[in-house]
Amino acid sequence: MKQLKLFLKDKKTWFDTAILEFLTEEKKALAVKPGMFFMLEAETLLKKPISVLDVDSRSGSLKFLIRRIGKGTSFLYDLKPGAELTAIGPSGNAFPDPEGRPVLLAGGGSGIPPMFFLSRILPKKTFHVVYGGQGKADIVPLFGKSIPHRITTDDGSLGLKGTVVKGIRKIMKDDPQFCKALLFSCGPEPMVKALTHAFPELNHYTSLERYMGCGFGVCLGCVVKTVNGIKRVCVDGPVFNTKDLGWNHGHED
Amino acid sequence: MKQLKLFLKDKKTWFDTAILEFLTEEKKALAVKPGMFFMLEAETLLKKPISVLDVDSRSGSLKFLIRRIGKGTSFLYDLKPGAELTAIGPSGNAFPDPEGRPVLLAGGGSGIPPMFFLSRILPKKTFHVVYGGQGKADIVPLFGKSIPHRITTDDGSLGLKGTVVKGIRKIMKDDPQFCKALLFSCGPEPMVKALTHAFPELNHYTSLERYMGCGFGVCLGCVVKTVNGIKRVCVDGPVFNTKDLGWNHGHED
Amino acid sequence: MDMKTDLGRGLLLKNPVMLASGTAAFGMEFEDFYPLEKLGALVTKGVSIDPIEGNPTPRIVETSGGMINSIGLQNPGARVFVEELLPQIRKHDFACVVNVFGYSDEGYKKVVEFLERSEGIDGYEVNISCPNVKHGGIQYGTNPEMTHRLVRELRSRTNRHLMVKLSPNVTDIMEFATACEEAGADSISLVNTLLGMAVDIETRRPKIARVVGGYSGPSIKPVALRMVYQVAKCVSIPVIGIGGIQSVKDALEFLLVGATAIQVGTANFYDPGIGGRLADELIQWLNRHGIDSLDDWIGSLEV
Amino acid sequence: MDMKTDLGRGLLLKNPVMLASGTAAFGMEFEDFYPLEKLGALVTKGVSIDPIEGNPTPRIVETSGGMINSIGLQNPGARVFVEELLPQIRKHDFACVVNVFGYSDEGYKKVVEFLERSEGIDGYEVNISCPNVKHGGIQYGTNPEMTHRLVRELRSRTNRHLMVKLSPNVTDIMEFATACEEAGADSISLVNTLLGMAVDIETRRPKIARVVGGYSGPSIKPVALRMVYQVAKCVSIPVIGIGGIQSVKDALEFLLVGATAIQVGTANFYDPGIGGRLADELIQWLNRHGIDSLDDWIGSLEV
Ligand SMILES: Cc1cc2nc3c(=O)[nH]c(=O)nc-3n(C[C@H](O)[C@H](O)[C@H](O)COP(=O)(O)OP(=O)(O)OC[C@H]3O[C@@H](n4cnc5c(N)ncnc54)[C@H](O)[C@@H]3O)c2cc1C
Ligand SMILES: Cc1cc2nc3c(=O)[nH]c(=O)nc-3n(C[C@H](O)[C@H](O)[C@H](O)COP(=O)(O)OP(=O)(O)OC[C@H]3O[C@@H](n4cnc5c(N)ncnc54)[C@H](O)[C@@H]3O)c2cc1C
Ligand SMILES: Cc1cc2nc3c(=O)[nH]c(=O)nc-3n(C[C@H](O)[C@H](O)[C@H](O)COP(=O)(O)O)c2cc1C
Ligand SMILES: Cc1cc2nc3c(=O)[nH]c(=O)nc-3n(C[C@H](O)[C@H](O)[C@H](O)COP(=O)(O)O)c2cc1C
Ligand code: FES
Ligand code: FES
């Protein structure tokens, strides 16, 4: 955990989403793993939690994908190359290492970054990505042809019409090794709950979202009930095994 | 009085002072007279009162001189051409028309703008400017050779060593028509008081400064005691005849 | 879209947008920015029976997200108000609520009795909460018994709408609201300014002459919203929300938690067009969100 | 430069910078940002005799210039604190003030009695002002008699430094400060959070689950500064200033109006390095301004 400076090198936008590439020399920041995030300065009082999309430790590059939905994310979306930001991180645990087992990577909307990051480091053929959104504008063209991925949209404007659940069923049908795969997910809570519901048999890790005050464990703003007691999403998570989460045990959150 | 947009066309800086040239098409704004000011947006909650330095109604240009001393003026100092600002104005009365009588224009520091503006419109040979500052860095090279002006600095780094009082004595000595001139002043309160004290015989109008909440007469934040009762500096002033001011009658302000 | 809002006892506003006392003087200065007819109502600067000079300067300073003022109720007195200012106001078609102030029960009664003799006043807002006056004033707004007594006295003196403006600088705002309702107030407006202070570390002096002043602006909105919510739940007379309103979103928030109308204060200083704009933007927003009338929105918070 | 500041009864801080309760957990997370030894003191998250789960989420929301929280005093209880957390804290050389909380006199007494058995605690900060607990808690901080009684009870149970933390949500803060001083408190810290609220007009729902929460951050500074000024003038025990401090300038302001030390709260979240930095910057600023010791600065406001 560090308080560090990031320099914006490059920015690309796709409808309401921007991909920001920052430079840093901070070693700890570049040792980040999929599922981890940084708290980024965003002209708001509190910094904003944003997952890492990609990292290149040789060139010192850190990439983030920002979906503008409010004040802070709009500020980040509007940044121009050359800008300097203060950040705190890297925060959070990471998705576990599948150690070669097949894994389904389900990302919805701005929950795609950890999935993309994973797709860059997991061994080929062991994973398949499902990328869901409401429509075409939500699906950022991140994945090249060589990365096995399926796109689903609610309105059918791109890929399969339907949700990520449908996408996963399709993948399972096409390649039975995924019927007993690990499931990693990140996205809106309804999506994650639908996945838990549809695939109760899968060992399912998900990255949770909570309104965060600090992002490094001191404010207790971001808690979630688990079978192991109340946990802080920012440092005990954001990745949890869904079987440990309160919502599977009758809790509100 | 209008709420209007200004577009920054050009900026020049001189140490801690910037000269900003804005464009506007608002007729009312371009009908401004020396001594009047605008409330300029400055990233602060309240807008900041800034006197007009110069106007060119044909090209739609309004110039201001900004001395950075705090948050708002630093924001204005740092503006880049192309920026767009909201402003309220023009506010305030103006210096009276000397109608050809000789007039001494005494400006200190960021109080020089109305004096410069006057020097641009008063008939040649009827006026003489005294421009005072602590040192060289306070004296912006505004006046060309053709404008009769004297510079005074406390440390003697430019012009006459001393205050504007000394400058005026010198002018009076060189050109006796100014011994009975009108005196127009704008600058720090101690300077204005020193002038009142040194030249009690002169008919002396001064532009006052007050912390302003609105700049158009509704908050009553900017008042001054006068022989005619309590007046609002923003709309009843900022120009007052010093003989009417409370400080000549034992009041605190 | 029906934007009318009824504050009771004949104070029916064409829309819920009012300008707050002391932030709009007597209204005239806003004519340059929008037609005053757009407003639901104007609340005048506080008027007392005799003229008040107010406090020394500096009277105002900006702080992070707000400002502190210590104007000290400067006003020309009730006579000048009635003879010179009221006729100007009455050229425009909006409700005119006169904010009144006295240093004692006597002072309040006198100013109301004096104003009762004039036409063209649609209601009174009783300021029992101004923090800027040295002798008296503040204790009304922080003492429920005194508040009750004063409101009862004024109630017996007027059939015009009687709005009481509460101070936020109290432990239990609901106690005051209840006292006002019981004493016969027609509506309650809140909040007045929070007591605040600012100092200059370079000069080692307070930034306003009277040391402590009234804190207003966007920064006080969360406190104001909480109090309006609490009061709207506990009284049955209309509540007028005030505190940090600078956008249509802010206005909608106050209405959502139960305010029947809102007042714009400090924002008038830095955005003088806001009063006229809010009236339009409220309609647009409600329309866009498929809400048929203002009444459907007021107090519709789901908790 | 002598930066030591004496809060009384053995609580001598090496400098006036403290981290505020609930904004620094138990301190450990800040080791990544600066050596904890830089701090004058750490005030722990509130500790109660039994563990508390706290409130449902959302517990936090940002507002203009501040934030609202409703954590609900989540803590692992006194036993876990003493066994697992205190030993970690005690690895570092700074004063450790334990913020304590109970739902009743009984609860407060129990937690203090329990903590008395452990070494390594330099003092208690009694939180009588937390707005986030449904049953009890708040009435202490808004009732001077209850405050007096509680402080006296705790005074008789400890010889350690006893600091009482006041709520700003009261009419007359000085009444509470005086009650604490008379009951034997060694120092007074203020302010805790203002009661505030935020709502979402799109969902028509409150932005935090418990509807009303505690408002903190830069926006509350003018109110906090005013109260610290008032209290420092009216009691003779040390006062610790809290509320919106995010820069050395802010810290200097609180010290100027009479605070003997300061606590940094919300700013820890968005600027975790602030605690260590302030300690350095205070020295630098005083040096640059030719002020020989912290004591010369404290309370030197000219009014
Ligand atoms: C661990 C983590 C990783 C994240 N990674 C990314 C990422 O890689 N890319 C990305 O674009 N976003 C990501 N987010 C979400 C992002 O942090 C929020 O969108 C952002 O904080 C919103 O701030 P804002 O100021 O733009 O919106 P605000 O103006 O604060 O809010 C706008 C609206 O969004 C709601 N909202 C705000 N924050 C949240 C939240 N955390 N959960 C649910 N609703 C919220 C508000 O209630 C409001 O309705 C992540 C969040 C977490 C917790
Ligand atoms: C009618 C009028 C015309 C003006 N014309 C010009 C101009 O042409 N060019 C120019 O550079 N400035 C001018 N000023 C001054 C300018 O408005 C202030 O410098 C500015 O408001 C300071 O804002 P800030 O946010 O930068 O400083 P802040 O951060 O608000 O304050 C910085 C310091 O300056 C002090 N200060 C702030 N405002 C005033 C004030 N009005 N009087 C005395 N002290 C103050 C503060 O107390 C503080 O110590 C004028 C002021 C008035 C009233
Ligand atoms: C400069 C100034 C003067 C004020 N004068 C009065 C007044 O005379 N009477 C009164 O009841 N309230 C007065 N107020 C309080 C406002 O009407 C309003 O209640 C308060 O500012 C909170 O609203 P805001 O945050 O929108 O400004 C004054 C406020 C300011 C800023
Ligand atoms: C998330 C959060 C949790 C808090 N928890 C506590 C607490 O447990 N006990 C306490 O006495 N104060 C608590 N406080 C209040 C702070 O210690 C401090 O008094 C308040 O936030 C004002 O200071 P600030 O504006 O610097 O944050 C908490 C504040 C916040 C923001
Ligand atoms: S965001 Fe503060 S503890 Fe998790
Ligand atoms: S600045 Fe508001 S009345 Fe002059």
Side-chain angles (χ1 to χ4, degrees):
Chain A
M1 190 80 58
K2 280 275 169 188
Q3 200 162 358
L4 64 147
K5 290 270 173 211
L6 298 177
F7 301 90
L8 186 57
K9 186 185 160 203
D10 198 19
K11 180 175 100 170
K12 290 193 184 72
T13 59
W14 175 261
F15 298 95
D16 282 339
T17 305
I19 291 178
L20 304 181
E21 179 175 5
F22 291 97
L23 294 181
T24 177
E25 293 183 351
E26 183 58 55
K27 290 255 152 48
K28 276 200 184 166
L30 296 168
V32 69
K33 292 193 166 53
M36 291 183 173
F37 65 94
F38 283 81
M39 297 296 286
L40 300 186
E41 175 189 347
E43 229 181 21
T44 46
L45 190 72
L46 302 172
K47 295 187 162 58
K48 299 289 171 178
I50 303 292
S51 303
V52 174
L53 176 69
D54 204 357
V55 63
D56 182 340
S57 54
R58 275 154 315 152
S59 64
S61 132
L62 264 179
K63 283 190 192 164
F64 299 94
L65 175 152
I66 312 281
R67 177 114 177 219
R68 62 168 172 199
I69 62 153
K71 204 176 154 199
T73 47
S74 298
F75 167 84
L76 292 168
Y77 182 97
D78 291 336
L79 281 179
K80 289 186 180 56
E84 192 185 306
L85 277 193
T86 306
I88 302 170
S91 264
N93 61 1
F95 280 95
D97 183 349
E99 294 171 338
R101 278 169 299 169
V103 51
L104 287 159
L105 306 176
S110 67
I112 198 67
M115 303 306 141
F116 179 79
F117 194 172
L118 282 160
S119 79
R120 303 268 291 164
I121 59 176
L122 291 178
K124 287 275 158 70
K125 311 224 157 135
T126 67
F127 68 88
H128 206 118
V129 179
V130 204
Y131 185 2
Q134 297 194 299
K136 202 175 156 170
D138 298 328
I139 306 295
V140 186
L142 286 169
F143 296 98
K145 287 230 175 73
S146 66
I147 307 288
H149 68 285
R150 268 206 172 272
I151 284 160
T152 67
T153 53
D154 297 348
D155 63 6
S157 54
L158 199 73
L160 213 60
K161 182 177 161 104
T163 69
V164 288
V165 170
K166 198 161 167 190
I168 290 181
R169 291 205 202 286
K170 199 93 184 179
I171 294 165
M172 287 177 164
K173 216 167 143 194
D174 294 352
D175 184 347
Q177 73 155 324
F178 288 110
C179 290
K180 289 192 169 172
L182 275 167
L183 172 58
F184 289 176
S185 72
C186 183
E189 215 149 294
M191 173 193 110
V192 178
K193 286 183 176 165
L195 285 171
T196 330
H197 197 76
F199 308 106
E201 73 286 6
L202 296 188
N203 191 4
H204 178 181
Y205 288 86
T206 191
S207 174
L208 294 181
E209 282 205 13
R210 279 290 178 286
Y211 203 103
M212 291 190 174
C214 67
F216 57 94
V218 298
C219 76
L220 306 184
C222 65
V223 296
V224 63
K225 282 198 180 144
T226 75
V227 292
N228 308 310
I230 296 185
K231 295 290 174 191
R232 295 163 299 180
V233 170
C234 65
V235 288
D236 304 321
V239 179
F240 292 90
N241 193 308
T242 53
K243 76 174 188 310
D244 295 337
L245 291 176
W247 78 50
N248 282 335
H249 303 269
H251 287 302
E252 203 184 297
D253 58 14
Chain B
M1 191 80 58
K2 281 274 169 189
Q3 200 162 358
L4 64 149
K5 290 271 173 210
L6 298 176
F7 301 88
L8 186 57
K9 185 185 160 203
D10 197 21
K11 180 175 100 170
K12 290 196 184 71
T13 59
W14 174 262
F15 299 95
D16 281 338
T17 305
I19 293 178
L20 305 182
E21 179 175 6
F22 290 97
L23 295 181
T24 178
E25 293 182 349
E26 183 58 53
K27 290 257 151 47
K28 278 201 183 166
L30 296 168
V32 70
K33 292 194 166 53
M36 292 184 174
F37 64 95
F38 283 81
M39 297 295 287
L40 300 185
E41 174 190 346
E43 228 181 22
T44 45
L45 190 72
L46 303 172
K47 294 187 163 58
K48 299 290 170 176
I50 303 291
S51 303
V52 174
L53 176 70
D54 204 357
V55 64
D56 183 339
S57 53
R58 275 156 313 154
S59 63
S61 133
L62 264 180
K63 283 190 193 164
F64 299 94
L65 176 152
I66 312 281
R67 177 114 178 218
R68 62 168 172 198
I69 62 153
K71 204 177 151 197
T73 47
S74 299
F75 167 84
L76 292 167
Y77 182 97
D78 291 336
L79 281 178
K80 289 187 180 56
E84 192 184 307
L85 278 193
T86 306
I88 301 169
S91 263
N93 62 2
F95 280 96
D97 183 350
E99 295 171 336
R101 279 169 298 169
V103 53
L104 285 160
L105 307 176
S110 68
I112 199 66
M115 304 305 140
F116 179 79
F117 194 171
L118 282 160
S119 78
R120 304 268 291 163
I121 59 176
L122 291 178
K124 286 274 161 68
K125 309 224 158 136
T126 66
F127 68 87
H128 206 119
V129 179
V130 204
Y131 184 3
Q134 296 194 300
K136 204 176 157 168
D138 297 329
I139 307 294
V140 187
L142 286 169
F143 297 97
K145 287 231 174 75
S146 66
I147 307 289
H149 68 283
R150 269 207 173 271
I151 285 160
T152 67
T153 53
D154 297 348
D155 62 7
S157 54
L158 198 73
L160 212 60
K161 182 176 162 106
T163 69
V164 288
V165 170
K166 199 162 167 190
I168 290 181
R169 291 206 201 286
K170 200 94 183 176
I171 294 165
M172 287 176 162
K173 216 167 146 195
D174 293 351
D175 185 347
Q177 74 157 320
F178 289 109
C179 291
K180 289 190 167 172
L182 277 168
L183 173 57
F184 289 177
S185 72
C186 183
E189 216 150 293
M191 173 193 110
V192 179
K193 286 183 176 166
L195 286 171
T196 332
H197 197 77
F199 307 105
E201 74 284 8
L202 296 188
N203 192 4
H204 177 181
Y205 288 85
T206 190
S207 173
L208 293 181
E209 283 205 13
R210 279 291 178 286
Y211 203 101
M212 293 192 172
C214 66
F216 57 94
V218 298
C219 76
L220 306 184
C222 66
V223 296
V224 63
K225 283 200 179 140
T226 74
V227 292
N228 308 310
I230 295 185
K231 295 289 173 191
R232 295 163 298 179
V233 170
C234 65
V235 289
D236 304 322
V239 179
F240 293 90
N241 194 309
T242 54
K243 77 175 186 312
D244 295 336
L245 291 176
W247 79 49
N248 281 335
H249 303 269
H251 288 301
E252 204 183 297
D253 57 16
Chain C
M1 174 71 58
D2 183 6
M3 293 300 283
K4 282 199 281 300
T5 192
D6 191 350
L7 298 182
R9 201 176 294 252
L11 190 56
L12 182 72
L13 309 186
K14 64 166 103 67
N15 69 52
V17 181
M18 310 171 72
L19 301 190
S21 180
T23 65
F26 298 94
M28 276 82 84
E29 285 80 359
F30 292 89
E31 283 183 74
D32 281 355
F33 301 107
Y34 55 90
L36 293 176
E37 281 66 27
K38 290 216 157 209
L39 291 174
L42 167 83
V43 187
T44 68
K45 173 75 190 159
V47 173
S48 51
I49 186 72
D50 297 316
I52 298 180
E53 280 210 340
N55 292 334
T57 57
R59 289 175 167 192
I60 273 189
V61 70
E62 179 165 341
T63 67
S64 131
M67 60 172 276
I68 298 175
N69 88 80
S70 157
I71 305 300
L73 287 165
Q74 180 187 333
N75 83 89
R79 181 169 306 276
V80 174
F81 169 71
V82 163
E83 289 171 6
E84 296 176 19
L85 301 166
L86 190 55
Q88 299 284 337
I89 298 177
R90 287 294 36 142
K91 290 185 189 154
H92 300 280
D93 172 30
F94 55 72
C96 169
V97 175
V98 183
N99 183 280
V100 293
F101 174 78
Y103 292 104
S104 61
D105 278 19
E106 223 36 57
Y108 281 100
K109 287 191 270 182
K110 273 196 187 146
V111 64
V112 168
E113 283 165 3
F114 186 93
L115 294 170
E116 279 292 291
R117 294 184 238 144
S118 300
E119 303 279 296
I121 293 172
D122 298 298
Y124 303 109
E125 180 181 59
V126 187
N127 178 9
I128 55 164
S129 47
C130 180
N132 289 329
V133 182
K134 250 197 167 159
H135 310 293
I138 185 72
Q139 71 271 39
Y140 281 98
T142 57
N143 179 320
E145 285 78 40
M146 286 178 70
T147 298
H148 187 278
R149 192 185 64 209
L150 176 63
V151 174
R152 220 184 35 215
E153 295 268 23
L154 299 181
R155 174 74 293 163
S156 71
R157 278 166 177 75
T158 182
N159 280 318
R160 288 180 175 154
H161 184 97
L162 195 62
M163 183 183 297
V164 185
K165 182 164 179 182
L166 299 184
S167 164
N169 302 295
V170 297
T171 308
D172 180 3
I173 193 80
M174 292 171 283
E175 191 182 12
F176 289 86
T178 312
C180 293
E181 183 177 32
E182 283 173 7
D186 297 310
S187 66
I188 290 167
S189 59
L190 73 168
V191 298
N192 209 314
T193 52
L194 290 168
L195 283 171
M197 178 172 175
V199 295
D200 186 327
I201 55 171
E202 298 295 339
T203 61
R204 295 201 197 184
R205 294 177 55 82
K207 284 194 175 175
I208 56 171
R210 276 289 162 83
V211 187
V212 167
Y215 186 33
S216 65
S219 287
I220 74 165
K221 194 185 71 173
V223 175
L225 204 60
R226 184 261 300 179
M227 290 189 166
V228 169
Y229 170 73
Q230 289 179 319
V231 168
K233 276 203 311 183
C234 93
V235 297
S236 52
I237 52 178
V239 173
I240 295 98
I242 322 170
I245 296 175
Q246 61 172 355
S247 68
V248 68
K249 191 180 136 291
D250 297 329
L252 286 160
E253 289 174 8
F254 277 92
L255 297 165
L256 183 63
V257 304
T260 304
I262 55 101
Q263 296 183 14
V264 181
T266 303
N268 286 313
F269 300 159
Y270 53 89
D271 181 13
I274 185 172
R277 221 177 47 235
L278 276 190
D280 294 337
E281 289 179 352
L282 278 172
I283 300 186
Q284 286 156 15
W285 196 94
L286 293 172
N287 263 332
R288 253 199 338 266
H289 286 72
I291 292 151
D292 294 331
S293 83
L294 183 64
D295 278 345
D296 289 350
W297 180 258
I298 289 172
S300 68
L301 185 77
E302 291 163 34
V303 276
Chain D
M1 173 72 57
D2 184 6
M3 292 300 282
K4 281 199 282 300
T5 193
D6 191 350
L7 298 182
R9 202 177 292 253
L11 190 56
L12 182 72
L13 309 187
K14 65 167 104 64
N15 69 52
V17 181
M18 310 171 74
L19 301 190
S21 181
T23 66
F26 298 94
M28 276 81 86
E29 284 81 358
F30 292 89
E31 282 182 75
D32 282 356
F33 302 107
Y34 55 89
L36 293 176
E37 282 64 28
K38 289 215 157 209
L39 291 173
L42 166 83
V43 187
T44 67
K45 174 75 190 159
V47 173
S48 51
I49 186 72
D50 297 316
I52 299 180
E53 278 208 343
N55 291 335
T57 58
R59 289 176 166 191
I60 273 190
V61 71
E62 179 164 342
T63 66
S64 133
M67 59 173 277
I68 298 174
N69 89 80
S70 158
I71 305 301
L73 287 166
Q74 179 187 332
N75 82 89
R79 180 170 305 278
V80 173
F81 169 70
V82 163
E83 288 171 6
E84 295 175 20
L85 301 166
L86 190 56
Q88 300 284 335
I89 298 176
R90 286 293 39 142
K91 290 183 189 155
H92 300 279
D93 173 30
F94 55 72
C96 169
V97 175
V98 183
N99 183 279
V100 293
F101 174 77
Y103 292 104
S104 60
D105 279 19
E106 222 37 55
Y108 281 101
K109 286 192 267 183
K110 272 196 188 147
V111 65
V112 167
E113 283 165 2
F114 186 94
L115 294 170
E116 278 291 291
R117 292 184 237 142
S118 301
E119 303 279 295
I121 293 171
D122 298 299
Y124 304 108
E125 180 181 58
V126 188
N127 177 8
I128 56 164
S129 47
C130 181
N132 290 327
V133 182
K134 248 197 168 158
H135 309 292
I138 186 70
Q139 69 270 41
Y140 281 99
T142 57
N143 179 319
E145 286 78 40
M146 286 177 72
T147 299
H148 188 277
R149 193 186 65 210
L150 176 64
V151 174
R152 220 186 33 217
E153 294 269 21
L154 298 182
R155 174 73 293 163
S156 71
R157 279 166 176 76
T158 181
N159 281 317
R160 288 180 176 154
H161 184 96
L162 195 62
M163 183 183 297
V164 185
K165 182 164 179 183
L166 299 185
S167 165
N169 302 295
V170 296
T171 309
D172 180 2
I173 193 80
M174 292 172 284
E175 190 182 13
F176 290 86
T178 311
C180 293
E181 182 176 32
E182 284 173 8
D186 297 310
S187 66
I188 289 167
S189 59
L190 72 166
V191 298
N192 209 313
T193 52
L194 290 169
L195 283 171
M197 179 172 174
V199 295
D200 186 327
I201 54 171
E202 298 295 339
T203 61
R204 295 202 198 183
R205 294 176 55 80
K207 284 195 176 176
I208 56 171
R210 276 289 162 84
V211 187
V212 166
Y215 185 33
S216 65
S219 287
I220 73 166
K221 195 184 72 175
V223 175
L225 204 60
R226 184 262 298 179
M227 290 190 165
V228 169
Y229 171 72
Q230 289 178 318
V231 168
K233 276 203 311 184
C234 92
V235 297
S236 52
I237 52 177
V239 173
I240 295 98
I242 322 171
I245 296 175
Q246 63 172 355
S247 69
V248 68
K249 189 180 138 293
D250 297 329
L252 286 160
E253 289 174 9
F254 278 92
L255 297 165
L256 182 63
V257 304
T260 304
I262 55 101
Q263 295 183 12
V264 182
T266 304
N268 286 313
F269 300 159
Y270 53 89
D271 181 13
I274 186 173
R277 221 178 47 234
L278 275 191
D280 294 337
E281 289 178 353
L282 278 172
I283 300 186
Q284 287 157 15
W285 196 94
L286 293 173
N287 263 332
R288 251 198 340 265
H289 286 72
I291 293 152
D292 293 331
S293 82
L294 183 65
D295 278 345
D296 289 349
W297 180 257
I298 289 172
S300 67
L301 185 77
E302 291 162 35
V303 277

